[in-house]
Amino acid sequence: MIFKNPSILYGLLFLIVPIIIHLFQLRRFTKVPFTNVAFLKPLITQTRKSRQLKKWLTLLARMAAIACIVFAFAQPFIPGSDVATQEKETAIYLDNSFSMQSSGSKGELYKTAVTDLLERLPNDQRFTLFTNDNTYRNTTKKEVSNDLLKSGYQSKPLSYDQIQLKANALLNDNNKRNELIIISDFQKTIETFPDTLAGLKRELVFLKAQESNNVSIDTAYISSRETNSIDISVTVTSDKAINNPVTLSLENNGVLVAKTSVNLSNLKDTGTFNFETSQPLQGRIYLDDNSLTFDNELYVSNNIERKIKVLAINDVDGEFLQRIFTEDEFDFTAVRARDLNFNLLNEKNLIILNELKNISLNLAQEINTYLKNGGYLVVIPSLNQSDNNSITNVLSGNSISEKEKRITEINFNHPILKGVFNKQISNFQYPKVNATTNNINALDPILKFEDGSSFLFQKGNVYSFTAPLNDKNSNFKNSPLIVPVLYNMGRGSLPVPQLYYHIGENNSIAVSETIISDEILELKNEFSSIIPKQRAFDSFVLIEIDDELNNSGNYKVLKDEEIITTLSFNNSRKENKLEYFTTKDLGSENIVYSVEDLVYKLSKEDGVLSLWKYFVIGALFFLICELLILKFLK
């Protein structure tokens, strides 16, 4: 038993008062002569005995009453656990990721959790609550209820490590007992669930989804192009085999334009739409599914594409470049160095210096200006080349080596080659060179020789080869590497708009528009509007979008309310696989399966059994006993 006000117990000293009254009475008895009293002697003895008993019982009743009153004011209680008396601070993480759309026994998991929290939490309890996109510090359920009821789902959930680190930062009072409550379906996004951080008590509310089959639109891409049409292929997956065909629909500007079906008996299939490009595509691909809804639609857009402008300045045969930069995607121009018109440079997205023997000072100055304006440059050196280090990020080719070298190492993670190969290749016919113009070990080379030096590397906006590519010096033009390397250099020089982008990722998009002075581009749809980061170049504007957008959809790019183009953004499909941690993975000692069970458990742990009311009743009981003793005991 613990006392809330233990100093009141000093009041027990008042117990000495009835003792003094009863044991040290100062009354004196006076003898009075009386005639024959012999027959009264037995009666007097009996009366004195009863009076002594009455006095002791009255003394005990009064002392008990006083003691009960003192104990009642001291407010004794019995704690529900060892830590119940320690002051605590609580942080609640409420998972509002897309997987929480799954249905439980009472409906959608997230909505059920919100309802239970608002119903079960005590009105006066203060806590900190955070979701994947919002944080509410030192609040009550009344203060936060409206925001929770209006909140939606988020496509970028916090990792389990991030949840604990954020809670640890929010609960920064070391003098209090820190408690983290995680309310989630615990989707399995990592192999091992992290351990609890030191100094943090963790409670898990495991909301289990009912077993269901989720059908998801995973990806869409342009599988083929014709003069006036494109084929859009759509990949659809399912958690379980479906025998009946699943219908896919394509809308353009809200009007249904095509339907197709996919067969998911093998869990995955691809459907194809043929779309006439006589008008821009501002579309939505969708299907009907009763499980997760966020992956049932995919927004796509395809505007009239601007061809990437490539200029090759040759001192040798450059026919291989023309075969790579085909006219369906590129506006390719090849000129001899002596015939170059400098006015062409600033119009181009990519310039290739193909084994120039001499780079004039004027050309170097023009290229430096071009690079400052965001252009990209590819340098293929010549063994007879004069000093060219007057161009930014281009090294002088004055360390010629005529030693044969093989190109043996590929940087599969470099943006130029990322995704080119289905798997990392370790044994293929290595291309070789007979002589190099530079012997350099770049920090992040694209291709390397067997001795570790670089064959191709990137520095800023400049891609540099360290050996000529002509047939006499190298067989690299016959290698399967030549096409993806140069093609991706061209594609990377102008980030051409894709069918769609993922929300929450770093997206760099080139919009074919010129802006001057204080003009800006704006992204807008019917629900939201943002002004993204943007950089203006001579012939395009590069806009960069990270996590500014929250809603998927087709967004119009506006300049002074004029529609320039349309971009589509969709939520990531990372949460469409319904795989969850098991109770064993999480550790069963701190798991409950509903908010109601959690509140009951915590109230039992943190609750106390107050005893003051019982002592008040005891005081009244002993006072009544005293009255009865005085009245009925003779």
Side-chain angles (χ1 to χ4, degrees):
M1 186 168 65
I2 300 174
F3 296 92
K4 188 174 182 180
N5 302 312
S7 59
I8 301 294
L9 293 177
Y10 287 110
L12 292 175
L13 295 176
F14 286 102
L15 291 176
I16 199 171
V17 174
I19 295 175
I20 293 174
I21 294 174
H22 283 267
L23 298 184
F24 299 98
Q25 292 188 35
L26 299 179
R27 278 178 51 189
R28 292 181 178 275
F29 294 95
T30 303
K31 290 184 178 181
V32 178
F34 200 76
T35 59
N36 193 5
V37 293
F39 66 93
L40 294 177
K41 189 173 182 179
L43 180 62
I44 293 172
T45 303
Q46 185 179 359
T47 303
R48 283 180 178 176
K49 290 181 179 179
S50 64
R51 283 182 177 177
Q52 285 293 104
L53 178 62
K54 183 176 182 179
K55 287 179 181 181
W56 282 108
L57 291 176
T58 304
L59 173 63
L60 292 175
R62 289 175 178 174
M63 291 179 66
I66 292 173
C68 287
I69 292 173
V70 172
F71 279 124
F73 278 100
Q75 295 189 38
F77 63 89
I78 299 175
S81 64
D82 295 337
V83 294
T85 58
Q86 185 179 354
E87 191 175 0
K88 77 170 182 176
E89 194 173 4
T90 301
I92 302 174
Y93 167 71
L94 180 57
D95 186 2
N96 63 336
S97 62
F98 280 117
S99 65
M100 292 286 283
Q101 286 182 346
S102 298
S103 295
S105 57
K106 298 180 181 179
E108 290 186 19
L109 296 180
Y110 174 70
K111 294 181 179 178
T112 300
V114 170
T115 302
D116 286 349
L117 274 176
L118 298 180
E119 287 181 357
R120 305 292 178 181
L121 286 178
N123 292 326
D124 58 346
Q125 181 178 348
R126 302 201 72 84
F127 54 86
T128 294
L129 185 143
F130 64 99
T131 61
N132 293 308
D133 55 333
N134 289 308
T135 300
Y136 308 93
R137 301 194 67 165
N138 192 27
T139 186
T140 63
K141 73 175 187 180
K142 183 177 180 181
E143 295 171 354
V144 80
S145 59
N146 288 335
D147 288 338
L148 288 182
L149 291 172
K150 293 178 182 177
S151 63
Y153 297 97
Q154 277 295 311
S155 61
K156 197 173 182 181
L158 298 173
S159 69
Y160 297 110
D161 284 322
Q162 288 174 329
I163 292 169
Q164 295 199 123
L165 291 173
K166 185 170 183 178
N168 209 34
L170 292 170
L171 304 175
N172 53 12
D173 192 341
N174 295 327
N175 296 321
K176 296 182 180 180
R177 175 166 55 97
N178 294 329
E179 181 178 67
L180 168 63
I181 299 170
I182 301 178
I183 304 174
S184 175
D185 60 349
F186 295 100
Q187 190 175 31
K188 194 169 185 177
T189 56
I190 54 177
E191 287 300 320
T192 305
F193 194 73
D195 294 330
T196 309
L197 294 179
L200 189 68
K201 181 177 180 289
R202 188 173 68 185
E203 297 284 349
L204 308 181
V205 181
F206 193 172
L207 302 180
K208 289 192 173 183
Q210 293 178 336
E211 187 174 351
S212 62
N213 181 30
N214 183 44
V215 181
S216 168
I217 300 176
D218 282 357
T219 59
Y221 55 92
I222 297 176
S223 53
S224 68
R225 295 177 181 270
E226 301 292 338
T227 304
N228 297 316
S229 67
I230 56 173
D231 285 342
I232 300 176
S233 294
V234 183
T235 302
V236 182
T237 59
S238 175
D239 292 337
K240 298 178 182 178
I242 299 177
N243 296 324
N244 298 324
V246 174
T247 301
L248 280 174
S249 304
L250 171 64
E251 287 182 355
N252 187 29
N253 280 320
V255 178
L256 181 64
V257 294
K259 281 191 175 185
T260 188
S261 62
V262 290
N263 183 356
L264 297 177
S265 57
N266 293 322
L267 307 183
K268 184 176 182 179
D269 196 15
T270 300
T272 301
F273 295 102
N274 182 265
F275 182 77
E276 299 291 331
T277 56
S278 56
Q279 58 177 328
L281 172 63
Q282 299 173 22
R284 181 176 75 101
I285 302 169
Y286 63 93
L287 54 78
D288 293 327
D289 175 38
N290 294 325
S291 187
L292 299 183
T293 58
F294 82 95
D295 55 8
N296 293 348
E297 61 183 9
L298 194 73
Y299 292 92
V300 293
S301 57
N302 183 60
N303 302 279
I304 299 174
E305 289 193 3
R306 175 191 173 194
K307 292 184 179 181
I308 300 171
K309 297 181 179 181
V310 179
L311 172 64
I313 306 173
N314 301 311
D315 260 355
V316 294
D317 180 22
E319 184 182 355
F320 74 99
L321 295 173
Q322 190 162 359
R323 292 200 301 268
I324 295 173
F325 299 111
T326 55
E327 63 180 7
D328 58 335
E329 295 183 71
F330 300 93
D331 182 0
F332 180 78
T333 304
V335 298
R336 305 294 292 188
R338 62 177 179 271
D339 301 326
L340 177 63
N341 179 358
F342 287 172
N343 292 329
L344 290 175
L345 298 182
N346 287 333
E347 300 175 359
K348 304 302 179 181
N349 306 118
L350 179 68
I351 295 175
I352 302 173
L353 303 183
N354 186 17
E355 300 191 35
L356 298 190
K357 297 177 182 178
N358 179 44
I359 297 178
S360 66
L361 183 59
N362 289 337
L363 177 58
Q365 290 176 345
E366 291 292 336
I367 290 179
N368 283 332
T369 302
Y370 164 80
L371 291 173
K372 288 180 181 178
N373 290 330
Y376 282 77
L377 178 68
V378 177
V379 178
I380 304 173
S382 169
L383 293 176
N384 301 317
Q385 185 173 337
S386 60
D387 188 12
N388 61 4
N389 59 3
S390 56
I391 300 178
T392 304
N393 293 334
V394 177
L395 301 178
S396 175
N398 54 10
S399 57
I400 297 175
S401 171
E402 295 186 354
K403 179 182 178 181
E404 181 181 298
K405 294 183 180 181
R406 294 189 306 164
I407 303 163
T408 59
E409 293 189 40
I410 303 171
N411 185 354
F412 294 97
N413 293 322
H414 193 279
I416 290 297
L417 294 176
K418 195 170 185 180
V420 171
F421 302 95
N422 292 327
K423 61 180 180 178
Q424 296 190 6
I425 302 172
S426 57
N427 55 341
F428 67 101
Q429 187 174 0
Y430 301 117
K432 64 181 181 178
V433 300
N434 297 323
T436 59
T437 61
N438 280 294
N439 187 16
I440 182 173
N441 295 311
L443 293 177
D444 189 26
I446 303 172
L447 299 173
K448 292 169 65 175
F449 292 116
E450 55 192 337
D451 63 358
S453 60
S454 304
F455 170 65
L456 172 62
F457 64 94
Q458 181 181 5
K459 189 173 182 181
N461 287 7
V462 178
Y463 301 98
S464 295
F465 289 89
T466 60
L469 302 185
N470 62 72
D471 294 334
K472 292 182 180 180
N473 188 65
S474 173
N475 63 352
F476 184 71
K477 288 195 294 187
N478 299 322
S479 165
L481 290 173
I482 184 69
V483 174
V485 165
L486 289 174
Y487 174 81
N488 286 334
M489 287 179 182
R491 293 289 295 184
S493 65
L494 181 66
V496 176
Q498 305 170 8
L499 271 182
Y500 63 91
Y501 301 86
H502 282 131
I503 293 174
E505 296 182 357
N506 295 322
N507 299 300
S508 295
I509 309 165
V511 177
S512 301
E513 184 64 29
T514 57
I515 58 176
I516 56 175
S517 65
D518 58 349
E519 291 181 331
I520 57 172
L521 298 184
E522 178 186 9
L523 260 67
K524 187 175 183 179
N525 70 357
E526 60 269 29
F527 302 110
S528 61
S529 172
I530 67 164
I531 298 175
K533 299 175 185 176
Q534 48 199 275
R535 290 184 291 164
F537 296 96
D538 288 344
S539 57
F540 66 94
V541 178
L542 185 67
I543 61 176
E544 298 177 351
I545 302 172
D546 187 1
D547 54 2
E548 295 91 343
L549 296 177
N550 293 319
N551 300 313
S552 59
N554 293 320
Y555 288 77
K556 294 179 173 60
V557 180
L558 304 175
K559 184 181 82 169
D560 295 332
E561 301 300 323
E562 177 188 355
I563 299 176
I564 306 301
T565 186
T566 301
L567 301 175
S568 297
F569 293 88
N570 292 287
N571 295 304
S572 171
R573 267 39 183 174
K574 293 179 181 178
E575 293 192 68
N576 62 354
K577 300 301 179 185
L578 303 181
E579 298 179 7
Y580 307 97
F581 283 109
T582 63
T583 302
K584 184 178 179 181
D585 296 331
L586 300 176
S588 58
E589 68 278 0
N590 287 325
I591 295 181
V592 294
Y593 298 96
S594 70
V595 174
E596 181 180 0
D597 292 341
L598 172 73
V599 173
Y600 175 76
K601 177 184 177 183
L602 295 182
S603 63
K604 190 174 180 180
E605 288 180 357
D606 300 334
V608 295
L609 177 60
S610 296
L611 303 177
W612 65 269
K613 62 185 74 174
Y614 300 108
F615 283 101
V616 170
I617 294 172
L620 293 174
F621 171 77
F622 287 116
L623 288 174
I624 293 171
C625 287
E626 180 187 357
L627 293 175
L628 293 175
I629 291 170
L630 293 175
K631 184 174 182 179
F632 295 106
L633 188 60
K634 302 298 182 181

